[in-house]
Amino acid sequence: ETGVTQSPTHLIKTRGQQVTLRCSSQSGHNTVSWYQQALGQGPQFIFQYYREEENGRGNFPPRFSGLQFPNYSSELNVNALELDDSALYLCASSSGGSGEKLFFGSGTQLSVL
Amino acid sequence: SQKIEQNSEALNIQEGKTATLTCNYTNYSPAYLQWYRQDPGRGPVFLLLIRENEKEKRKERLKVTFDTTLKQSLFHITASQPADSATYLCALANSGGSNYKLTFGKGTLLTVNP
């Protein structure tokens, strides 16, 4: 078990709604990355936060936004939900160096109806 | 365009045999490559990392090779066990300014039959 916890574990929303997903990083880690994993696909990088600043972003629209707090926990917010946003959302923490392995949480399964 | 391909979507082997999984990439200059294991309903778990200047890494029954000329990594599990059944993901990070971002393949579902 990693020390990364995500909440909620499951969520059902309807199209057009907004959602906030939460992540507590492993103790000692200052970097949090978010990934989206559609069924049968590998995780896709959404963005990364390092010491409360966005450190890089993947190919996701601006309605995907995030925050990192002083205790290095993080939130992922998705506005104007679309059906294709249905996926497993994974949070991963690391100590921020190049080549660092990622410690993933178990994810939040989001279903958009 | 950049691509990471794990050549088999599914691999079935008998217990005790060696499983070999393949990861090929195009249009990347990877600084390093990682392998993860993912069980259903869980997040990926890190297994091994190999850097661009390394040819081979081992950890217990696991071995990873990295050939930057062939643009390929091979992941081996020796003396496989039913408990090794899972999806295995390769992931790489480009050298340069975007090395914070891991790009994952789709994964290979390994089933080890008793």
Side-chain angles (χ1 to χ4, degrees):
Chain A
E1 286 288 331
T2 70
V4 180
T5 58
Q6 291 188 243
S7 62
T9 54
H10 296 84
L11 201 52
I12 300 174
K13 291 284 190 179
T14 55
R15 197 170 46 182
Q17 286 189 309
Q18 178 265 343
V19 69
T20 298
L21 310 182
R22 295 179 174 82
C23 172
S24 293
S25 58
Q26 184 158 309
S27 176
H29 287 179
N30 55 19
T31 302
V32 171
S33 304
W34 286 92
Y35 286 80
Q36 180 196 66
Q37 187 174 24
L39 195 62
Q41 304 294 314
Q44 284 208 3
F45 177 76
I46 303 175
F47 41 57
Q48 183 185 82
Y49 279 82
Y50 172 66
R51 293 188 175 179
E52 303 178 60
E53 297 285 330
E54 186 179 291
N55 189 40
R57 190 177 182 92
N59 190 25
F60 280 81
R63 59 190 185 83
F64 285 78
S65 63
L67 279 175
Q68 189 179 30
F69 300 100
N71 66 354
Y72 303 131
S73 65
S74 178
E75 285 182 356
L76 164 65
N77 299 289
V78 187
N79 292 323
L81 283 167
E82 300 177 0
L83 298 179
D84 284 349
D85 295 333
S86 296
L88 180 66
Y89 288 85
L90 295 162
C91 166
S93 76
S94 63
S95 57
S98 169
E100 287 294 323
K101 61 186 179 182
L102 299 182
F103 293 79
F104 283 89
S106 291
T108 294
Q109 185 66 54
L110 173 65
S111 299
V112 182
L113 305 178
Chain B
S1 62
Q2 295 179 322
K3 272 199 294 189
I4 300 175
E5 290 181 321
Q6 294 189 242
N7 288 7
S8 300
E9 286 194 1
L11 182 64
N12 287 270
I13 63 168
Q14 282 301 120
E15 182 175 7
K17 301 292 187 185
T18 295
T20 298
L21 284 64
T22 305
C23 178
N24 294 292
Y25 59 91
T26 53
N27 294 321
Y28 280 101
S29 297
Y32 57 88
L33 189 146
Q34 300 184 13
W35 284 88
Y36 287 79
R37 168 186 172 138
Q38 187 172 24
D39 292 285
R42 308 300 297 270
V45 174
F46 172 82
L47 297 174
L48 280 168
L49 178 153
I50 188 164
R51 299 189 185 277
E52 60 180 329
N53 59 349
E54 298 174 319
K55 297 290 186 189
E56 183 179 297
K57 271 277 185 73
R58 290 175 186 261
K59 178 183 173 183
E60 297 171 353
R61 295 185 296 112
L62 309 180
K63 184 178 88 171
V64 173
T65 63
F66 196 11
D67 188 328
T68 54
T69 302
L70 290 180
K71 299 186 186 302
Q72 180 180 80
S73 175
L74 298 179
F75 177 78
H76 306 271
I77 306 175
T78 58
S80 60
Q81 304 165 1
D84 295 326
S85 299
T87 296
Y88 291 85
L89 299 159
C90 73
L92 57 80
N94 254 346
S95 55
S98 62
N99 62 358
Y100 52 81
K101 168 188 168 183
L102 273 185
T103 303
F104 284 83
K106 286 186 180 181
T108 296
L109 176 60
L110 173 67
T111 302
V112 181
N113 301 303

